[in-house]
Amino acid sequence: MVKYVVNNASNLTMTADQLSNIFSALADPTRRAILARLALGETSVNELAAPFEMSLPAVTKHLKVLQRAGLISQSRQAQSRPCKLEAKPLQEVATFLAQYQQFWEQRLDQLDSYLLSLNLKENE
Amino acid sequence: MVKYVVNNASNLTMTADQLSNIFSALADPTRRAILARLALGETSVNELAAPFEMSLPAVTKHLKVLQRAGLISQSRQAQSRPCKLEAKPLQEVATFLAQYQQFWEQRLDQLDSYLLSLNLKENE
DNA sequence: AACATATTTAACCATATGGTTAAATATGTT
DNA sequence: AACATATTTAACCATATGGTTAAATATGTT
């Protein structure tokens, strides 16, 4: 009987694998909105927080989650800590998706040929 | 001051938006392993559970999460409830990623031209 | 009907997550 | 030095998540 080793972290405070961190980070709408803002360009925590009806510490926590996933980085500019979107984790998601791309493209193809067959019948 | 409405669910038991459900479902390595197995074809809960060192009810719960995200569907075949991978949510992830694809492709391009410039210098 | 097989549900538990307010820290300005 | 601005940390809280074991349910076989 084969057992998959699903997570190789050996210590008890299990550090989730990177892909899990990335997907967890993306699983929150506030964080996705923050990323969408950052796609427009680097900006401060205050400006990132402004649109949301939550406290600044809550936003800081979201940024920590995004940082743990490698999705953003922060620098220093006077008192401000501007945040920047980082591309690499998104590429990892793309790589993950690629495993399945064939699968769902195939299914689309099946749909295509089904629609095509309907079409052919119509024109008979 | 603009406030984003990040989640439009009005009742207190907030039903997270679909994209959040999908990313949450993908954020667990056991569930990603289950999806990987299902990419090979439909199979029973027992067979899905076999490789993991956890109880069957734990696997059932993971399947529930995958189902809530629309990533799998279950049918009935005698006592068995075979699971099948569903493509649509993965397409939604792809759509989400597409928003950023330009961003990270651009960054790769920048790396490319940097490497190219190094190359040119080398050949001077 | 009784038993077997496949799966789910219920009740429970420990830890993670996403929020809060109050206080602390880092940097810049007067 | 004192104050202002930007952000983070600490302590706390309610709910979600991912696991457990025991019992229930659905279907098939004898």
Side-chain angles (χ1 to χ4, degrees):
Chain A
M1 196 207 285
V2 184
K3 297 266 175 192
Y4 298 128
V5 175
V6 132
N7 191 325
N8 215 11
S10 48
N11 36 359
L12 281 185
T13 317
M14 192 123 79
T15 50
D17 65 297
Q18 194 52 14
L19 201 49
S20 296
N21 282 336
I22 296 166
F23 281 128
S24 297
L26 294 174
D28 183 281
T30 299
R31 289 193 290 265
R32 289 197 304 277
I34 288 173
L35 291 180
R37 170 62 191 80
L38 288 176
L40 305 177
E42 226 169 310
T43 192
S44 71
V45 174
N46 258 327
E47 199 182 313
L48 283 175
F52 301 107
E53 280 175 337
M54 67 178 68
S55 67
L56 213 48
V59 172
T60 295
K61 281 191 179 184
H62 282 302
L63 295 177
K64 277 260 177 296
V65 173
L66 290 168
Q67 207 159 27
R68 181 168 52 118
L71 284 159
I72 66 166
S73 62
Q74 272 180 297
S75 50
R76 168 68 78 177
Q77 212 173 103
Q79 301 98 324
S80 178
R81 316 262 348 247
C83 298
K84 197 173 98 186
L85 183 55
E86 295 291 337
K88 204 181 147 234
L90 294 172
Q91 288 175 245
E92 278 168 49
V93 172
T95 303
F96 170 84
L97 263 196
Q99 293 183 270
Y100 296 93
Q101 197 148 9
Q102 187 199 3
F103 173 80
W104 48 266
E105 273 174 2
Q106 181 193 323
R107 309 212 74 220
L108 283 182
D109 288 353
Q110 283 169 12
L111 180 63
D112 272 356
S113 45
Y114 172 66
L115 293 177
L116 187 63
S117 72
L118 286 185
N119 225 13
L120 288 175
K121 275 192 195 143
E122 246 171 43
N123 297 336
E124 257 166 21
Chain B
M1 195 207 285
V2 184
K3 297 266 173 190
Y4 297 129
V5 174
V6 131
N7 193 324
N8 216 12
S10 47
N11 36 357
L12 279 184
T13 317
M14 193 123 78
T15 50
D17 64 297
Q18 193 54 12
L19 201 48
S20 296
N21 282 337
I22 296 167
F23 281 128
S24 296
L26 295 174
D28 183 281
T30 299
R31 288 193 292 262
R32 288 197 305 276
I34 289 173
L35 291 180
R37 170 61 191 81
L38 289 177
L40 305 177
E42 226 168 310
T43 192
S44 71
V45 175
N46 258 328
E47 199 183 312
L48 282 175
F52 301 108
E53 282 174 335
M54 68 178 68
S55 67
L56 213 48
V59 173
T60 296
K61 281 191 179 186
H62 282 301
L63 295 176
K64 276 259 177 298
V65 173
L66 289 168
Q67 209 160 23
R68 182 168 50 120
L71 283 158
I72 67 167
S73 61
Q74 272 180 297
S75 49
R76 168 70 78 177
Q77 211 172 103
Q79 301 97 325
S80 179
R81 315 264 347 247
C83 298
K84 196 173 99 186
L85 183 54
E86 295 292 337
K88 204 183 147 231
L90 295 172
Q91 286 174 251
E92 278 168 47
V93 172
T95 304
F96 170 83
L97 263 195
Q99 293 183 271
Y100 296 93
Q101 197 148 8
Q102 187 198 6
F103 173 79
W104 49 264
E105 273 174 2
Q106 179 193 328
R107 310 213 74 219
L108 284 180
D109 288 351
Q110 284 168 10
L111 180 62
D112 273 355
S113 45
Y114 172 67
L115 293 176
L116 187 64
S117 71
L118 286 184
N119 224 14
L120 289 176
K121 274 190 195 143
E122 247 171 43
N123 297 338
E124 257 167 22

